[in-house]
Amino acid sequence: MKIVVCVKQVPDTKGGVKFNPDGTLDRGAMLTIMNPDDKAGLEAALRLKDQYGAEVTVLTMGLPKAEDVLREAMAMGADNGILVTDRVLGGADTWATSTTLAGAIRNLEYDLIITGRQAIDGDTAQVGPQISEHLGIPVISYAQDIKVEGDSVIVERQYEDRYHVVKAKMPCLVTALAELNEPRYMTPGGIFDSLEKEITVWGRANLVDVDDSDLGLAGSPTKIAKASDKVRKGTGEKVTLDSEEAVSYLMNKLTEKHVI
Ligand SMILES: Cc1cc2nc3c(=O)[nH]c(=O)nc-3n(C[C@H](O)[C@H](O)[C@H](O)COP(=O)(O)OP(=O)(O)OC[C@H]3O[C@@H](n4cnc5c(N)ncnc54)[C@H](O)[C@@H]3O)c2cc1C
């Protein structure tokens, strides 16, 4: 079985979010991690590998430093890492990102593609289902459990108060939830092995069946019209009054502000 796992390098928001003066994220100044849903997706793939003997390839699109996330995945047990990086891909929205990832995946043999449900920075949850659409394969989203039976994948698909068991023939794409499992740690041996492994680096020229007009900023139909911080609430006013005074104080304030 061949499994492709899409992993995204995202800013570690626990270390504090840093902004550029124009309000965009200062990604260079922030620590980065593997997106949590993707890490669970990778762990699911590695468990299938342990059980059935699969080949696991991790794929990311990003800046050259996104190689770190591939090394981490390989230190956990992934067999191959592919970095898609090219200036023309910069500024991609979800459409351009999924077009790029699908263009890269068309070079590969795969039975199962696993993506995270959503990235903690973009938060759209669109990229996984869009990749399946580009490749013309079924998608099962919100996986809280993934099993393989013959040529089918069986997934527990999470809802707010229940789950459905959904079965699809492979090739199929599954989007994983962080709650799916407890990802394994990298081992010292795995870290050394990953440093010796080659990472495949692809650019625009390696993408199959994609049009330039669907790539990068120019190929992104989503445009950010305006970015601003949330309006902060005032600190409020603290007063100490007995109950009768408090009622008349509140009535005066509400009248003053034309609420009543
Ligand atoms: C006009 C515009 C410009 C933008 N410019 C930039 C920019 O310059 N730099 C930037 O980082 N972001 C930029 N973004 C944000 C970018 O659109 C999203 O980060 C990206 O499209 C993925 O969407 P998402 O994070 O919502 O992913 P989701 O749909 O929430 O992700 C779902 C899953 O898809 C997979 N996935 C998503 N992205 C990748 C990836 N790159 N590689 C591998 N797997 C992936 C992961 O498995 C992930 O869990 C821009 C957005 C817009 C609208």
Side-chain angles (χ1 to χ4, degrees), residues 17-173:
V17 179
K18 298 189 175 61
F19 292 98
N20 292 311
D22 65 359
T24 56
L25 273 185
D26 185 356
R27 289 175 187 268
M30 291 167 68
L31 293 174
T32 54
I33 52 168
M34 189 187 304
N35 183 54
D37 282 351
D38 307 359
K39 204 168 193 174
L42 172 61
E43 174 62 30
L46 295 175
R47 288 185 191 187
L48 292 173
K49 177 181 168 179
D50 293 342
Q51 231 177 325
Y52 305 104
E55 182 181 339
V56 177
T57 299
V58 278
L59 169 68
T60 194
M61 174 187 100
L63 296 170
K65 73 172 188 154
E67 182 183 321
D68 296 348
V69 90
L70 298 177
R71 293 257 173 237
E72 181 183 350
M74 294 202 291
M76 285 170 68
D79 300 287
N80 316 302
I82 302 171
L83 168 67
V84 183
T85 187
D86 199 311
R87 273 181 192 282
V88 297
L89 306 175
D93 70 357
T94 61
W95 172 257
T97 299
S98 61
T99 302
T100 302
L101 292 172
I105 292 169
R106 286 193 189 97
N107 289 297
L108 306 171
E109 283 177 28
Y110 57 86
D111 301 292
L112 186 60
I113 300 171
I114 303 180
T115 72
R117 167 203 35 189
Q118 70 189 61
I120 57 169
D121 55 349
D123 255 352
T124 66
Q126 293 173 1
V127 170
Q130 284 177 355
I131 295 174
S132 76
E133 202 53 40
H134 291 307
L135 297 175
I137 59 172
V139 58
I140 308 176
S141 51
Y142 293 76
Q144 61 173 30
D145 186 52
I146 305 172
K147 286 193 184 70
V148 165
E149 212 178 77
D151 61 354
S152 299
V153 60
I154 298 163
V155 173
E156 282 182 14
R157 185 174 192 275
Q158 192 184 81
Y159 287 83
E160 215 163 277
D161 57 348
R162 74 197 91 136
Y163 65 85
H164 288 173
V165 179
V166 185
K167 189 172 176 178
K169 276 239 153 69
M170 294 189 282
C172 174
L173 187 145

